[in-house]
Structures are given as structure tokens and as C-alpha cells.
């Protein structure tokens, strides 16, 4: 079992920055990747970023060069640093963890709201 707790988010003006945190617990050594998703009002949930166990990252095109995923092993936390935020980044952000056996664990706490005003 893997459990996830998100934190961070908030409201900023365009051009500002926020950092999201996803702290994992439980069977952390089984985790293959931690993924960030977002869902804007009236839109489908979309993939944002991935940080995998080998330290590789990938991002959806719309956030490349602005968002950075990183990991703090001591805190069992994956971060999503979001810079140069745009109004279109406004969404509820959530993280999930995929384990080596293909299981995906979700945080059912609802995610964290990011609001970017113009």
C-alpha cells in the first residue's frame, strides 16, 4: 500500500510561482513513479509531469521549461515547482504513485487548488 498527501497550491498572479508537494508513505520502495495531474473546470484531467525512480522526468508540452519535478528522499516527497504561471494553469492538481507491479495509488483527498489570475 502507498499513501499520498499533497500540500501547497494557492492563488498567485500570472508570472508567479508555487510549489506543490506530494509526500508518500507505506511501500515507498515499490514506487516506480510519482505523477502529477491537473483538472481545470469543465475539462478532462490531464497529465502534467512525472518523476520516476531513476530520477528521470517528463512533462506535458504546455509546462515544459516552466515546471520542474524533483524529489527529496529524506522527506519521501516529490515536488512540483511551478514558475511563470499562467491563467491557463488554473486547476486542481493531484499526484498519484505507480508501483513496479503496475498498481496506481491515488490521493482521494481531492487534490490542491492552484489559481492563477491575470
Amino acid at each position: 500500500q502507498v499513501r499520498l498527501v499533497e500540500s501547497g497550491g494557492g492563488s498567485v498572479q500570472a508570472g508567479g510561482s508555487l510549489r506543490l508537494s506530494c509526500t508518500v508513505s507505506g511501500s515507498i520502495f515499490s514506487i516506480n513513479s510519482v505523477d502529477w495531474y491537473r483538472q481545470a473546470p469543465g475539462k478532462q484531467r490531464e497529465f502534467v509531469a512525472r518523476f520516476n525512480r531513476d530520477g528521470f522526468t517528463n512533462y506535458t508540452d504546455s509546462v515544459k521549461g516552466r515546471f520542474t519535478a524533483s524529489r527529496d528522499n529524506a522527506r519521501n516527497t516529490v515536488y512540483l515547482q511551478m514558475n511563470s504561471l499562467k491563467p491557463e494553469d488554473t486547476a486542481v492538481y493531484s499526484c498519484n504513485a505507480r508501483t513496479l507491479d503496475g498498481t496506481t495509488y491515488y490521493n482521494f483527498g481531492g487534490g490542491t487548488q492552484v489559481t492563477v489570475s491575470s
Side-chain angles (χ1 to χ4, degrees):
Q1 288 283 338
V2 174
R3 292 171 294 280
L4 306 101
V5 176
E6 296 156 0
S7 61
S11 298
V12 295
Q13 291 191 326
S17 298
L18 287 170
R19 187 178 76 166
L20 306 181
S21 302
C22 180
T23 301
V24 297
S25 60
S27 302
I28 59 174
F29 295 106
S30 68
I31 294 174
N32 189 46
S33 70
V34 172
D35 302 335
W36 289 95
Y37 284 79
R38 66 186 179 187
Q39 186 165 20
K43 295 188 177 181
Q44 287 191 333
R45 186 169 177 257
E46 68 167 340
F47 169 80
V48 177
R50 171 170 295 153
F51 191 99
N52 82 358
R53 62 187 291 122
D54 297 323
F56 292 107
T57 57
N58 62 299
Y59 306 91
T60 192
D61 286 346
S62 63
V63 308
K64 285 180 180 176
R66 301 188 297 122
F67 290 14
T68 303
S70 62
R71 177 180 60 195
D72 184 335
N73 289 331
R75 291 180 168 81
N76 295 331
T77 298
V78 173
Y79 300 101
L80 184 66
Q81 178 67 42
M82 305 183 295
N83 298 329
S84 301
L85 283 161
K86 304 175 180 181
E88 51 264 43
D89 294 318
T90 295
V92 174
Y93 286 70
S94 59
C95 62
N96 62 38
R98 296 201 300 175
T99 57
L100 293 168
D101 66 359
T103 302
T104 300
Y105 292 89
Y106 298 91
N107 174 16
F108 291 102
T112 186
Q113 177 70 46
V114 170
T115 302
V116 185
S117 58
S118 57

